Amino acid sequence: MLEPSHNNELPAIPGKRYFTIGEVAELCAVKAHVLRYWEQEFPQLSPVKRRGNRRYYQRADVITIRQIRSLLYDQGFTIGGAKQKLSSTEVKDDTSQYKQLIRQMITELEEVLDVLNTPVR
């Protein structure tokens, strides 16, 4: 049985265009080998591969990986069930993805507010 996540708060996704597999592993709290396995299982995951077959994930990939992680670890879906859920039209209306995006935006806005509130010397 998969061990559920004890910490549902994942770090904010930085405003970069591409992320390495190591960065994504940290952002999504999973190991790199798990990401490589999920690429084989979930057709929605297709990172850009460049020189030396290095993977570069985009922001949408990171959000999809977090969604897969939530389905498998937090909601207890099997790989097959998670595939079905992601490929169904239900996922488009899934509020968890929107909640995650809103939390991300709030975090980024709080960071901007901190910068703006820092006194100029």
Side-chain angles (χ1 to χ4, degrees):
M1 182 172 169
L2 295 173
E3 187 176 316
S5 169
H6 296 290
N7 181 7
N8 287 337
E9 292 301 316
L10 295 172
I13 303 170
K16 292 172 49 174
R17 185 169 182 155
Y18 293 103
F19 301 90
T20 64
I21 194 167
E23 291 170 328
V24 175
E26 283 184 32
L27 289 170
C28 298
V30 294
K31 305 261 186 205
H33 70 271
V34 172
L35 293 173
R36 289 189 289 273
Y37 173 71
W38 287 354
E39 283 176 33
Q40 295 172 1
E41 294 296 323
F42 296 93
Q44 297 88 343
L45 287 181
S46 56
V48 177
K49 289 190 181 177
R50 293 205 181 139
R51 200 172 26 151
N53 223 14
R54 291 183 56 117
R55 293 165 170 81
Y56 290 94
Y57 296 85
Q58 295 181 10
R59 184 182 204 84
D61 294 322
V62 176
I63 291 169
T64 301
I65 291 166
R66 285 184 171 191
Q67 197 169 18
I68 292 168
R69 182 187 183 281
S70 174
L71 289 171
L72 295 175
Y73 295 175
D74 301 331
Q75 298 175 42
F77 279 79
T78 62
I79 293 280
K83 276 187 201 178
Q84 206 170 33
K85 176 94 170 153
L86 283 175
S87 64
S88 73
T89 56
E90 254 178 83
V91 84
K92 307 281 189 274
D93 301 324
D94 194 346
T95 57
S96 67
Q97 184 176 13
Y98 295 114
K99 286 179 183 176
Q100 185 177 349
L101 286 171
I102 289 169
R103 270 188 257 131
Q104 174 71 30
M105 284 192 284
I106 289 170
T107 303
E108 290 174 3
L109 288 171
E110 286 172 345
E111 290 172 3
V112 169
L113 188 60
D114 287 344
V115 169
L116 291 173
N117 287 332
T118 305
V120 180
R121 295 180 184 196

